[in-house]
Amino acid sequence: LNAFPNPTKYQIGYVFESKDEAPYTIKVCDLLGKELIAETRVSSSGLHGDEISLPGLPSGIYMLVVQKGPMIGRFKFNISE
């Protein structure tokens, strides 16, 4: 899992490799593990990328979590004004 830009302000893009077309969950959590945003999406086969909006989240450090089946990817990022 890779995400960009970091730091960011309004949205964060991400990319990961997928072996098949299947649903996955993307979450944005604070560092205490509180889920702030959660969406279910469908990946394509190969490199899969998308963006997630970060509406109204204050400056700070967050965790982007992508879960597809038993696989979980995490990426720490910074929201900066």
Side-chain angles (χ1 to χ4, degrees):
L1 173 66
N2 198 3
F4 49 88
N6 190 18
T8 188
K9 188 171 182 178
Y10 301 112
Q11 65 188 21
I12 190 159
Y14 60 91
V15 65
F16 63 92
E17 188 161 350
S18 176
K19 295 184 189 237
D20 57 2
E21 195 171 299
Y24 68 95
T25 303
I26 182 155
K27 300 176 189 177
V28 175
C29 303
D30 64 18
L31 291 184
L32 298 175
K34 181 180 177 188
E35 195 174 288
L36 305 170
I37 300 170
E39 297 180 11
T40 299
R41 299 181 177 183
V42 177
S43 69
S44 54
S45 183
L47 281 181
H48 177 77
D50 208 343
E51 294 178 339
I52 189 164
S53 295
L54 307 167
L57 294 179
S59 294
I61 299 174
Y62 296 87
M63 186 71 67
L64 180 72
V65 181
V66 175
Q67 181 172 1
K68 184 174 175 227
M71 307 235 271
I72 299 175
R74 292 179 179 85
F75 186 90
K76 194 183 294 184
F77 69 97
N78 186 19
I79 293 178
S80 178
E81 296 278 333

